[in-house]
């Protein structure tokens, strides 16, 4: 039929096209910003009628399938683990892994920001200008943070009252919980009743992954449109005064990826980091251009299964959970930003207080939604804890999009790393299972391919 996603050897590979889209969109956007300015009618027209719609259609294609995919993957993932004790073991291991890597990320960020101290170098005039410009946006975020605190209700609300409403509201944790219960119950009923449901869920999952493949054909254009929108609006103007802070965030994200996560890939997953990163390019570019872990989940699942060869029941279990719970990039960013803003406002931290910042960064990264700017309201909450004015967030809002793109990329790299490590530790996957063909997402998903769920090692 049509060209498989990822390319099939004929013509340019999909991920090359996506990267090209990214580069072209960015160059045109920066050029438009520098030469015409963000408010120029032509730039506005392009954003309204061309770049914006193309980007949004790509994004919506991905969002469209997130909820059915999360439900089917989690239910099948749990059912595939068979015994409820396996679910407990794999679930416990997965959560422990999420917490450890998220805490390592926050710690790295806090150490770097404390050593480099970008907050002490911010020009006071820039500070007041930024506070004035972004005061309105900051007020909205402060309100949002007051509306959605992190308390006991957050935990109780995970047990959804109405899974359909959760899906409609994009309440991922509610849908995950329903999927977990559904999958667990599926293993407890008579096999002859369970079988048709498994086949049906399997079909749902195959169909949505097929839709991802179709959506990914739009990716080069969608990505170009999304990036054009960001760069034409923001340009480089704020990168200079906030340069030190931006460099600390991006430097720490790179260090976490190249050192910490690569060590997990090498020793936890037994896989060459170079091979790993080359296989997950489609996910990385999707995360970077959408700034949304949730929007990247469909691509992530396809990449894990088709480009890394991870058994579907493991990827389907770990990735949807990691998507909301494992945000390495976000917790690193939060740790840095709290300490940076505190310093700008003349507040300094003792080591035990830094430990609290670290813990709060981890907790809020677990609670943040995987959407653009999802962590900002929670970040405001941490700032308030330490007496930093919530409006202080105004200082960083103007450049948040570029930081968001970068931290979301690290979030999804963390999720995929977790999937490999957990799959290997369960004895159901090893580096030898990574398909030899480069290019990815080119294998047809066949309905008859996985009725026999690989069972985890006893
Ligand atoms: N945009 C991030 C994500 O989707 C969340 C955040 O840090 O704001 O993973």
């Amino acid at each position: 039929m049509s060209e498989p996603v990822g390319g099939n050897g004929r013509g340019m590979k999909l991920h090359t096209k996506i990267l090209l889209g990214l580069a072209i969109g960015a160059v045109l956007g920066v050029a438009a910003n520098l030469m015409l300015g963000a408010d120029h009618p032509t730039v506005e027209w392009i954003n309204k009628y061309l770049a914006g719609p193309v980007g949004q259609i790509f994004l919506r294609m991905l969002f469209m399938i997130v909820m059915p995919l999360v439900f089917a993957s989690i239910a099948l993932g749990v059912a595939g683990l068979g015994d409820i004790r396996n679910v407990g073991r794999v679930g416990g291991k997965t959560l422990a892994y999420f917490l450890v890597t998220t805490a390592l990320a926050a710690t790295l960020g806090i150490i770097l920001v404390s050593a480099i101290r970008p907050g002490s170098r911010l020009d006071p005039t820039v500070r007041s200008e930024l506070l004035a410009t972004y005061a309105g946006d900051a007020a909205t975020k402060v309100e949002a943070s007051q509306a959605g605190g992190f308390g006991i209700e957050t935990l109780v609300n995970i047990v959804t009252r109405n899974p359909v409403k959760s899906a409609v509201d994009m309440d991922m944790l509610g849908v995950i919980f329903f999927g977990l219960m559904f999958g667990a119950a599926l293993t407890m009923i008579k096999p002859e009743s369970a079988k048709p449901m498994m086949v049906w869920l399997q079909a749902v999952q195959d169909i949505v992954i097929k839709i991802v493949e179709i959506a990914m054909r739009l990716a080069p254009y969608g990505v170009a449109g999304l990036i054009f929108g960001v760069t034409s609006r923001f340009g480089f103007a704020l990168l200079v005064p906030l340069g030190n802070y931006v460099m600390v965030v991006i430097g720490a994200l790179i260090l976490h990826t190249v050192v910490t996560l690569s060590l997990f890939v090498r020793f936890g997953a037994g896989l060459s980091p170079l091979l790993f990163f080359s296989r997950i390019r489609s996910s990385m570019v999707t995360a970077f251009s959408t700034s949304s872990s949730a929007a990247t989940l469909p691509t992530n699942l396809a990449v894990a299964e088709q480009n890394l060869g991870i058994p579907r029941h493991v990827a389907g279990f770990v990735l949807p959970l990691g998507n909301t719970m494992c945000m390495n990039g976000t917790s690193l960013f939060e740790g840095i930003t709290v300490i940076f803003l505190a310093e700008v406002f003349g507040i300094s931290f003792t080591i035990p207080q830094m430990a609290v910042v670290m813990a709060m960064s981890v907790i809020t990264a677990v609670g943040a939604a995987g959407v653009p700017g999802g962590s900002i309201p929670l970040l405001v909450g941490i700032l308030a804890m330490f007496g930093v004015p919530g409006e202080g967030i105004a200082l960083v809002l103007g450049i948040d999009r570029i930081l968001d793109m970068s931290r979301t990329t690290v979030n999804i790299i963390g999720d995929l790393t977790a999937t490999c490590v957990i799959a290997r530790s369960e004895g159901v996957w090893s580096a030898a299972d990574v398909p030899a063909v480069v290019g990815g997402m080119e294998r047809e998903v066949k309905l008859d391919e996985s009725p026999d769920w690989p069972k985890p090692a006893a």
Side-chain angles (χ1 to χ4, degrees), residues 150-163:
F150 196 90
I152 185 76
E153 324 75 68
T154 321
L155 292 179
V156 175
N157 288 342
I158 293 177
V159 183
T160 174
R161 196 157 35 180
N162 179 344

Side-chain angles (χ1 to χ4, degrees), residues 291-294 327 330 369-376 404 407-408 411:
S291 281
S292 167
S293 296
M327 293 198 177
T330 295
V371 295
S375 57
I376 300 291
D404 199 0
R407 66 182 181 257
T408 308
N411 288 346

Side-chain angles (χ1 to χ4, degrees), residues 154-426:
T154 321
L155 292 179
V156 175
N157 288 342
I158 293 177
V159 183
T160 174
R161 196 157 35 180
N162 179 344
V164 178
K165 181 158 190 309
S166 293
V168 171
D169 294 343
M170 282 274 188
D171 161 21
M172 190 92 93
L173 285 176
V175 176
I176 288 180
F177 187 82
F178 181 64
L180 285 173
M181 296 306 293
F182 199 92
L186 205 55
T187 62
M188 298 172 189
I189 61 174
K190 285 198 294 294
E192 41 309 0
S193 319
K195 185 83 184 154
M197 184 43 94
M198 298 275 273
V199 172
W200 185 80
L201 286 171
Q202 178 80 61
V204 170
Q205 204 183 25
D206 288 342
I207 290 165
V208 253
I209 290 189
K210 197 39 108 189
I211 300 180
V212 181
E213 296 185 8
I214 299 169
M216 289 307 281
R217 286 192 200 131
L218 260 183
Y221 314 99
V223 163
L226 290 169
I227 291 293
F228 181 88
V230 175
T231 47
S232 66
R233 233 165 275 148
F234 300 117
F236 288 131
L238 281 176
L239 283 183
V240 179
L242 289 170
N244 288 322
Y245 160 72
V246 172
M247 262 162 20
V248 173
V249 175
I250 299 206
L253 286 172
I254 293 175
L255 264 183
H256 182 71
T257 307
V258 177
V259 180
T260 318
L261 290 177
S262 295
L263 284 174
F264 276 106
V265 170
R266 159 70 71 207
F267 298 105
L271 188 63
S272 137
L274 279 182
L275 180 64
F276 173 77
F277 286 112
S278 74
R279 290 309 169 87
I280 66 165
R281 263 181 302 197
S282 302
S283 284
M284 285 166 52
V285 181
T286 309
F288 187 77
S289 56
T290 60
S291 281
S292 167
S293 296
T296 313
L297 179 63
T299 316
N300 251 2
L301 275 158
V303 161
E305 193 196 350
Q306 300 178 17
N307 292 8
L308 293 169
I310 307 273
R312 201 183 261 194
H313 74 280
V314 177
F317 181 77
V318 178
L319 285 175
L321 279 182
N323 185 61
T324 60
M325 302 184 81
C326 180
M327 293 198 177
N328 286 192
T330 295
S331 91
L332 178 152
F333 156 80
E334 290 188 352
I336 293 180
T337 307
V338 171
I339 302 217
F340 167 72
L341 290 178
E343 187 159 37
V344 172
F345 287 95
I347 300 165
S348 52
F349 285 131
T350 58
I351 303 270
Q353 278 175 318
M354 285 191 187
V356 179
V357 173
M358 191 275 276
M360 287 309 295
S361 303
V362 172
I363 295 173
T364 49
V366 172
V371 295
S375 57
I376 300 291
L378 298 162
L379 180 59
V380 174
I382 318 185
L383 290 175
M385 259 181 81
F386 290 99
V388 182
E391 293 74 12
I393 198 79
L395 291 181
V396 296
L397 278 185
I399 38 137
D400 188 53
R401 184 64 187 211
I402 184 83
L403 299 182
D404 199 0
M405 289 159 49
S406 316
R407 66 182 181 257
T408 308
T409 310
V410 176
N411 288 346
I412 70 94
I413 297 174
D415 297 343
L416 285 165
T417 307
T419 314
C420 295
V421 172
I422 303 291
R424 182 169 181 236
S425 78
E426 282 293 298

